[in-house]
Amino acid sequence: MEQLRLDDQMTALSQAAGTSMLELVRELYPIMRSITGPGLRATVRRLSAVVPLNITEVPTGTRVFDWTVPDEWRIEEAYIENESGQRFADMRDCNLHVVNYSIPVEMTLTLSELRPHLHSVPEHPDWVPYRTSYYQRDWGFCLADRQLRSLPEGRYRVVIRSTLAPGSLTLAEYLHRGAIEDEILVFAHDCHPSLANDNLSGVAVAIHLAAFLRTRKTRYSYRFLFCPTTIGSLAWLAMNEANLGRIRHGLVLSLLGDSGPLQYKRSPTGDRPIDRAAWYVLHREFPGSQLREFAPWGYDERQFCSPGINLPVGRLTRTPNGEFDEYHTSADNPDLLSPTSLGEAWLACAKIFEALEADRCYVNLSPKGEPQLGRRGLYQAMGGYRDIAERQLAMLWMLNQSNGNTSVLNIAERSNMPIGLLADATLALEKADLLSPVQPVAKPVYKW
Ligand code: ZN
């Protein structure tokens, strides 16, 4: 059976991937994205150059569970002009200046009439905040608090050349086919405009994982989704509800480029294989990693883990949403990210996949006493390895614990051995007819 195994090239690969990911983030950063529209399409087109994506356009007005796909938003320009013709909060300088999904506006206002439409972050007077108004027709501008405070009384001309009209919502996905149809889902939201850690870091890590898996044979199939947050994951779930039973494990990725430690957020029950595999990898191999319990807040794990969908999906970030100062402001720019942080997050995901791929139950076919390994050539087979004793120990653990319902991950947790080593031992024992995999009993998906 094909199974993902990582080799000693992975550290070098992760460093190269880190550099490439940061380049991709810098390239995507200036694009004016939103939950619909041309910027979102340009983004998935660029991602398709890394790995070819399947694009689905979901028309405006489509009902997706309790939501409806909104009108498509397009924007040409947005700025405020004072009486002497001086422009500020110009979208061309920073696309966060215009409230995302603003309706078209062209009017002249007094400062006090304009003020309710202006947003800033007083604690960080030079940063421009990010605000959206997707589902409520409104308009506004975001600007540095220092600039907001310095505005003199007078009249201001406001220009927002945007359109809100029937169009579609763009979903993009890539399916890597493994030996079995069961899937591991990887989700990254791709709807934020010029914000780097919040969404572009997750997008870059996800597309680079897809590119890596294309070069490898795997047991599971992997589905990578790039969708606008909330409405995008809901639309994808609504359109694919009949096939959700194939998803065995899932990870939502975002906020992976800052210098904070990796943080894994558990699924609602906290005991799914993805929860255990992620924590097994993180606490062993990425010191300082943190674990957090599920809460129905954050990113699209809220949709995947809603009671009527109930998929085993966790989330990997570094510093979580809302817990770093730069979050949802112009200070969340590519300079906040490092290739090392991105590369390490990429490597952590690859190792979690490896653990999930190895995690099967086996039964010992010679359980009465220890089978004689030397007679089967298993000692000779181990001759070239430096960690001969460890490999032997891994075989003994597998033989001792493989009762048909103790999985490789259980054995890895109990023995505190690297799961890759146990996976190698398992393959050798399988070849020698000493272990046989147990077909997993398909658990019915609970229907709400
Ligand atoms: Zn966000």
Side-chain angles (χ1 to χ4, degrees), residues 130 189 192 195 198 299 327-328:
Y130 165 57
H189 65 285
H192 288 20
L195 294 164
D198 186 4
Y299 291 112
Y327 176 72
H328 279 189

Side-chain angles (χ1 to χ4, degrees), residues 201-413:
S201 69
V203 166
V205 171
I207 199 78
H208 280 75
L209 286 167
F212 167 68
L213 290 179
R214 284 185 96 192
T215 68
R216 300 293 173 117
K217 295 231 184 277
T218 61
R219 182 160 73 89
Y220 280 110
S221 295
Y222 290 74
R223 192 176 295 275
F224 291 84
L225 295 183
F226 301 90
C227 306
T229 194
T230 310
I231 189 72
S233 53
L234 289 169
W236 188 87
L237 285 167
M239 291 166 59
N240 293 280
E241 203 178 353
N243 297 323
L244 298 183
R246 287 198 299 235
I247 299 171
R248 313 303 292 190
H249 319 283
L251 260 186
V252 170
L253 300 181
S254 187
L255 303 172
L256 293 167
D258 62 277
S259 58
L262 289 166
Q263 294 214 12
Y264 177 75
K265 177 182 168 182
R266 283 172 159 165
S267 74
T269 57
D271 61 354
R272 305 285 196 120
I274 180 66
D275 298 318
R276 294 175 40 233
W279 189 240
Y280 169 82
V281 166
L282 292 177
H283 94 274
R284 276 180 62 90
E285 303 203 35
F286 299 88
S289 294
Q290 294 176 10
L291 187 60
R292 37 174 75 205
E293 292 304 327
F294 179 80
W297 181 239
Y299 291 112
D300 295 80
E301 65 275 12
R302 287 145 63 184
Q303 315 311 332
F304 296 113
C305 300
S306 59
I309 301 295
N310 194 26
L311 288 173
V313 172
R315 185 189 77 184
L316 189 67
T317 63
R318 289 186 180 275
T319 315
N321 49 304
E323 296 181 21
F324 60 104
D325 286 353
E326 296 88 348
Y327 176 72
H328 279 189
T329 76
S330 55
D332 179 1
N333 62 49
D335 294 340
L336 192 69
L337 314 188
S338 78
T340 308
S341 291
L342 291 165
E344 191 189 59
W346 176 91
L347 184 59
C349 291
K351 290 190 179 226
I352 293 168
F353 298 159
E354 182 188 42
L356 289 169
E357 296 242 337
D359 188 32
R360 305 186 68 184
C361 292
Y362 291 83
V363 64
N364 180 344
L365 300 177
S366 179
K368 295 184 181 172
E370 277 177 15
Q372 198 181 2
L373 298 178
R375 179 160 62 79
R376 295 173 169 88
L378 291 172
Y379 277 83
Q380 281 96 322
M382 293 186 285
Y385 298 111
R386 267 188 309 170
D387 51 357
I388 181 165
E390 265 213 303
R391 279 177 189 266
Q392 187 179 339
L393 191 58
M395 287 196 200
L396 296 178
W397 269 108
M398 285 308 304
L399 287 166
N400 184 275
Q401 295 288 304
S402 289
N403 56 6
N405 51 37
T406 303
S407 77
V408 176
L409 184 55
N410 291 132
I411 299 168
E413 286 167 338

